[in-house]
Amino acid sequence: MIDYRIIREGRDCVVWTRVSTKYQEENGGSLETQRETCEEYAKRNIYNIVGYFGGKHESAKTPGKMIKEMYGCVNKNKNISTILVSEFDRFSRASWQACKMLDELREQGIIVIATKFGLDTRTKEGMLMAKNSINMSEWDNQTRTDKFIDGREKCFLSGAWVHKAPFGYYKEGKSRNAWCYLNEQGRILRNAFKWKLEGVSNSEILSRLEARGVNISKQLLHRILTNPFYAGKICHKFTHFELIDGQIEPAVTYENYLRVQDILAGRTGRYTQNKHNPSFPLTKHIICATDGTPFTSYTKEKRTAKSVHYYDYYKCNKSGCRTNVTAREMHEKYEALLEQYNLTETQLEHFSSRVREIFKAYSDDIINQRTQLKRRLTEIDNDIKNVRIRFASGKIDNESFEIAMQEFNNRKDLVTLEMEKCNLNLSNFEKRIPLIIATSSNISNLWHQADLETKRKIQNLVFPNGIYWDKEIGNYRTISRNKFFDLMDKYSLSYGNKKEAASCDAVSLCG
C-alpha cells in the first residue's frame, strides 16, 4: 500500500525522454520536443533540473540501460523529488511495467509529472489517471500493431515482398503493388545457378562472379543458392512458411532451383559415384520390385579339376528375398530396354533441331557473358587510368600506387581468363553437336561401349529414379523415365498423325 503522505522535499528534478520508434520521432514525439516541453514546465513551476536521462529507441518492452541509470541517480540523490516526462507513456508502452515503476517511485516519495497535461502522481487520483493514460496508450499501440501485421500478412499472401529487396534485386511500388526485379548484379547471379547445375564448385563460382564484378562471400552465395526468393517464391512467417508465387522476377526456374537443392544436399541419383567394379555398372541403380531394396553385386567362383571360372551376379540385399540374377542377363536385357529409346528418323530430326536451338540459346548466353566481361574489363582499365593520373599528380605515393596497380592487374587477369574460357566453351560445344546427335540416335550401343562412369551417366539420364527388377516376369519394370523421351514420343506421334491424315486426303482426292 502506497503512503501518499510521503513526499520528498526540494525542487530538484530530472528529465526523462524516450523515443522507441521512428514513427514517434517523426510525428511530434522527438527527443527535442519532449525535452523542450519539460524545460518549459520546470521554468514555469520553479523546478531545478539537475540531470537529463533517456535517448533514442530505448526499448518499449523492457527496462534498458538508460532508465536504470535514472533510477540509480534518483535513489542516491535524496534532493531529487520529481521526474519530469512529456507524457506518462514515455516510461514504457507496456502498461504493467510503467505502472510498477510509478508505484516504486511513489513509495520513495518521488512524484512523476506529465508536463504536457500537468498531471502528476502526487495523489491516488493522479496515480489513477496516470495508469489509465498508460493503459490507453498500450491499447492504441497494440491496435496499430495489429493493423500493421494484418496489412503485412495480406501483402505477403498476395505475393508482394514488402521487406527490403535481397541482394541482386531492386523493388518498385509499395504494399500490394510491390514488385521485385533483377538488377545488373542479379542478372549476373543467374549464372551461379546455371554453373551449379553443371557441377561447378562454389569456390569456382565465386571466382567467376568476381571476374564479372560481383564480389560476395561464400556464406552469401550459399544463402542465395538456397533461397527460394531467387526462384520467384515467397516463404515467410506471414505465409505460414508455405511457398507462394511472388511478384518477383526469377533468377532461376523453380524446377532448376529444386535440382540445385538436390546437388547441395548430395542427392544426385539412386547410385553414388564411388569407384566400383566396372563389371557392375547397374549396382544400386536396379531396385527390387518386391521390397524396394537396391541391388548389390558379387562374383561367384566355381572350380573344376582343370580350371577356375568366375560368374558375376546381381542380388537383392534384403534378407530373405533371394533374388539373384546373372550380370550377363541383366546387361543384355538392359541393352534391349535401352533400344526402345534409340531415336527414330523422325525423332532424330526433331532432336537435331532442338539441339541446335539449345546451342543457339547457349551461344547467346556466352555472348552476353562476354559482353559483361568486356564491360568489366573497361571499368578496370578506367580504374588503372585514374590511379596513374593520381600518381602522376602526386596525390598518392609510390607504395600506394604499386599496391593499387597490383590489385587492378590481378582483377584484369581474372577477367581475361574468364573471357578465354567463354571462347573455349563456345568452340567446344559447337564441335560436339554432330557427336551429340550421333550418339543420341543409338543410346543402347553407346551404353554397351561406354566406360563405367559414362554408363552410369546414361542410366541416370534415362531413368533418373532408378529401375525396378520384377523377378515374377524376369525383366525390368520402369519407375519413371526422363521427360525428354515423353516429348520425343509426342513429336513422333504428332508427325505420324499428320502423315496419316495427309495419306487419307490423297486417297480421297484420287477416288
Side-chain angles (χ1 to χ4, degrees):
M1 181 70 68
I2 299 173
D3 188 349
Y4 285 94
R5 294 172 297 177
I6 301 175
I7 298 178
R8 286 191 183 184
E9 299 294 334
R11 306 296 290 179
D12 287 352
C13 69
V14 296
V15 172
W16 169 255
T17 58
R18 180 181 65 83
V19 175
S20 60
T21 65
K22 187 177 180 181
Y23 173 83
Q24 293 173 350
E25 189 172 8
E26 294 176 349
N27 288 272
S30 68
L31 296 175
E32 291 76 14
T33 302
Q34 293 178 44
R35 180 168 176 164
E36 288 172 1
T37 301
C38 294
E39 287 176 341
E40 289 173 3
Y41 184 89
K43 186 175 181 180
R44 288 197 310 268
N45 294 275
I46 318 174
Y47 279 99
N48 177 38
I49 299 175
V50 297
Y52 293 88
F53 295 90
K56 273 187 183 178
H57 303 159
E58 176 79 344
S59 172
K61 294 183 179 179
T62 57
K65 180 180 178 182
M66 290 178 283
I67 200 167
K68 290 178 180 178
E69 289 177 355
M70 181 188 70
Y71 259 55
C73 177
V74 297
N75 284 333
K76 290 178 182 178
N77 191 342
K78 301 302 180 181
N79 293 324
I80 297 175
S81 62
T82 308
I83 298 174
L84 301 182
V85 295
S86 62
E87 299 178 65
F88 286 120
D89 64 4
R90 290 305 85 209
F91 269 85
S92 172
R93 284 282 182 178
S95 60
W96 67 270
Q97 182 193 92
C99 293
K100 180 182 178 182
M101 287 191 287
L102 291 178
D103 286 340
E104 290 175 350
L105 290 167
R106 192 62 186 81
E107 285 176 358
Q108 298 177 49
I110 301 169
I111 65 171
V112 180
I113 301 176
T115 59
K116 190 173 182 179
F117 305 107
L119 300 176
D120 61 54
T121 59
R122 188 181 303 274
T123 64
K124 58 181 180 295
E125 292 80 11
M127 181 69 79
L128 178 62
M129 293 181 68
K131 291 180 178 179
N132 284 340
S133 175
I134 290 168
N135 287 327
M136 287 299 296
S137 295
E138 183 181 38
W139 177 84
D140 177 65
N141 184 54
Q142 189 60 54
T143 300
R144 285 192 285 108
T145 300
D146 290 343
K147 290 180 179 178
F148 173 79
I149 292 175
D150 184 59
R152 280 291 175 98
E153 184 175 8
K154 288 179 179 177
C155 286
F156 277 108
L157 290 174
S158 69
W161 183 262
V162 294
H163 292 323
K164 180 182 177 182
F167 185 82
Y169 281 88
Y170 69 93
K171 189 170 70 174
E172 289 186 355
K174 294 182 179 180
S175 190
R176 295 192 190 187
N177 296 319
W179 283 80
C180 293
Y181 299 98
L182 290 166
N183 56 26
E184 186 175 351
Q185 290 178 318
R187 287 189 288 273
I188 295 173
L189 277 174
R190 281 176 169 168
N191 295 308
F193 290 93
K194 185 190 70 170
W195 293 329
K196 199 64 194 175
L197 289 171
E198 294 172 357
V200 179
S201 66
N202 283 9
S203 59
E204 175 63 17
I205 290 174
L206 289 171
S207 178
R208 292 183 183 185
L209 290 176
E210 183 181 355
R212 288 158 176 79
V214 178
N215 193 356
I216 59 177
S217 66
K218 62 180 181 181
Q219 292 83 1
L220 178 55
L221 175 62
H222 180 76
R223 289 199 297 270
I224 289 171
L225 293 176
T226 56
N227 190 348
F229 187 97
Y230 293 85
K233 304 288 184 179
I234 289 178
C235 180
H236 195 272
K237 64 180 180 180
F238 286 143
T239 68
H240 311 292
F241 298 102
E242 293 183 4
L243 285 177
I244 64 170
D245 292 331
Q247 295 170 180
I248 304 164
E249 180 187 0
V252 61
T253 65
Y254 186 59
E255 183 181 3
N256 282 341
Y257 167 79
L258 293 177
R259 291 174 60 197
V260 169
Q261 305 319 299
D262 284 341
I263 291 172
L264 293 173
R267 301 190 301 271
T268 56
R270 279 281 182 177
Y271 58 85
T272 58
Q273 294 291 342
N274 297 330
K275 291 183 179 179
H276 291 298
N277 191 328
S279 300
F280 300 104
L282 299 174
T283 301
K284 295 188 178 181
H285 179 65
I286 308 170
I287 304 163
C288 182
T290 304
D291 49 54
T293 304
F295 274 50
T296 56
S297 55
Y298 68 97
T299 300
K300 190 173 182 179
E301 179 184 303
K302 287 188 177 181
R303 292 179 175 271
T304 64
K306 296 183 178 180
S307 61
V308 179
H309 297 278
Y310 297 94
Y311 298 92
D312 295 332
Y313 288 86
Y314 288 99
K315 71 170 184 175
C316 174
N317 215 28
K318 182 79 171 180
S319 178
C321 183
R322 298 181 180 178
T323 302
N324 291 269
V325 187
T326 64
R328 181 176 178 179
E329 180 182 355
M330 283 283 200
H331 294 167
E332 288 177 352
K333 290 186 175 180
Y334 197 82
E335 284 185 44
L337 181 66
L338 287 178
E339 286 179 3
Q340 302 175 27
Y341 302 100
N342 292 341
L343 300 182
T344 64
E345 185 177 347
T346 303
Q347 291 173 330
L348 187 59
E349 179 183 346
H350 290 288
F351 176 69
S352 301
S353 175
R354 182 58 183 149
V355 169
R356 297 189 187 281
E357 287 177 10
I358 293 172
F359 170 71
K360 176 64 168 58
Y362 180 79
S363 175
D364 292 343
D365 181 56
I366 291 293
I367 291 171
N368 181 51
Q369 289 191 41
R370 283 194 304 206
T371 302
Q372 292 174 347
L373 291 170
K374 285 180 180 178
R375 189 184 304 121
R376 180 64 179 152
L377 206 57
T378 301
E379 292 173 358
I380 295 173
D381 286 336
N382 289 336
D383 290 336
I384 291 174
K385 182 179 179 181
N386 290 334
V387 168
R388 285 175 173 166
I389 291 173
R390 289 172 60 82
F391 176 67
S393 60
K395 292 182 178 179
I396 58 174
D397 57 31
N398 186 64
E399 183 179 358
S400 299
F401 172 74
E402 293 293 338
I403 293 172
M405 288 298 294
Q406 181 66 40
E407 175 64 23
F408 287 132
N409 283 327
N410 289 341
R411 294 180 186 177
K412 190 172 182 178
D413 290 342
L414 184 61
V415 174
T416 303
L417 179 62
E418 286 299 314
M419 289 183 68
E420 291 175 356
K421 288 180 182 179
C422 285
N423 294 332
L424 181 63
N425 290 340
L426 189 62
S427 174
N428 287 344
F429 194 82
E430 190 171 10
K431 291 176 182 177
R432 288 178 182 175
I433 288 179
L435 180 61
I436 292 171
I437 294 172
T439 54
S440 299
S441 64
N442 194 341
I443 198 167
S444 60
N445 186 54
L446 176 64
W447 184 86
H448 178 77
Q449 297 180 359
D451 57 21
L452 175 63
E453 184 179 357
T454 306
K455 281 183 177 179
R456 286 181 163 174
K457 286 181 178 179
I458 294 171
Q459 292 162 195
N460 201 39
L461 171 68
V462 182
F463 305 113
N465 296 315
I467 187 169
Y468 282 135
W469 175 265
D470 191 334
K471 66 178 180 180
E472 298 297 329
I473 63 174
N475 211 332
Y476 293 103
R477 182 156 55 86
T478 59
I479 304 174
S480 61
R481 63 176 181 175
N482 193 314
K483 292 180 179 179
F484 162 76
F485 297 102
D486 295 330
L487 185 63
M488 286 296 101
D489 286 348
K490 182 179 177 181
Y491 276 136
S492 181
L493 180 61
S494 174
Y495 179 84
N497 289 340
K498 289 179 182 179
K499 191 171 182 180
E500 183 179 347
S503 177
C504 290
D505 290 342
V507 170
S508 64
L509 286 173
C510 292

